[in-house]
Amino acid sequence: MIALIQRVSRSSVDVGGTKIAGIGPGMTILLGVFRDDSEAEIERLMKKIPHLRIFADEAGRMNRSLIDIGGEALVVSQFTLAGDLRKGRRPSFDAAMPPLEAKRLYERFCERLAEYVPVQTGRFGAMMEVEILNDGPVTFILDSREL
């Protein structure tokens, strides 16, 4: 499982021209699920994500977590993060988990994160327009396979 994490001032998701989710200060997490992932990857990510000290303290240093600032998370499923670009010019998605199984893990990830902070989500499998106002910019990639 791979999470592309962005510190945001605000972020939102539209589907078919209708806003379905939006947050203020917090994190936007684009989540990719790989074929071999399980709930164990979710647990590894939960030990890190809500506690990442990527928000400024009074001195302007990255020293506060999403929990500390009372921020929100917007989680958007993004299977393209499992894409392989090493061969040719067209991405291969062979490493991505099939949609039905990936949806279950995506939803479980969101449920677990909601135990720490308020969570809003995109719509799994939908064509979405995601608006992200990255604060910093601050962006990190967290791969559960490397934790």
Side-chain angles (χ1 to χ4, degrees):
M1 199 169 282
I2 191 165
L4 190 144
I5 300 163
Q6 296 188 39
R7 184 178 76 185
V8 299
S9 298
R10 70 176 180 272
S11 187
S12 64
V13 176
D14 285 27
V15 174
T18 301
K19 183 177 177 177
I20 64 163
I23 65 167
M27 253 180 215
T28 295
I29 302 168
L30 305 177
L31 188 71
V33 183
F34 290 89
R35 184 171 297 279
D36 296 332
D37 285 343
S38 68
E39 290 204 27
E41 279 73 30
I42 294 170
E43 294 311 311
R44 283 196 281 277
L45 291 174
M46 284 308 121
K47 288 179 182 174
K48 286 272 196 184
I49 291 175
H51 309 286
L52 287 173
R53 295 175 8 183
I54 64 171
F55 297 92
D57 63 13
E58 296 76 22
R61 296 187 62 211
M62 282 191 203
N63 205 23
R64 300 181 76 204
S65 72
L66 188 59
I67 296 168
D68 295 335
I69 68 158
E72 304 172 274
L74 175 62
V75 184
V76 178
S77 172
Q78 186 156 5
F79 84 97
T80 58
L81 288 172
D84 184 348
L85 300 170
R86 291 177 291 183
K87 292 183 183 177
R89 293 187 177 97
R90 182 176 303 188
S92 167
F93 297 105
D94 291 342
M97 184 173 278
L100 195 57
E101 299 167 62
K103 182 178 182 185
R104 183 184 67 77
L105 286 180
Y106 164 76
E107 289 173 349
R108 182 65 183 137
F109 175 91
C110 295
E111 289 169 4
R112 287 287 289 121
L113 187 57
E115 293 174 18
Y116 297 93
V117 296
V119 172
Q120 292 197 37
T121 66
R123 184 172 300 148
F124 189 92
M127 180 60 78
M128 296 174 273
E129 290 183 351
V130 181
E131 184 175 70
I132 299 170
L133 183 56
N134 192 316
D135 178 24
V138 174
T139 303
F140 297 96
I141 297 173
L142 190 56
D143 189 331
S144 67
R145 297 166 298 173
E146 296 175 358
L147 298 177

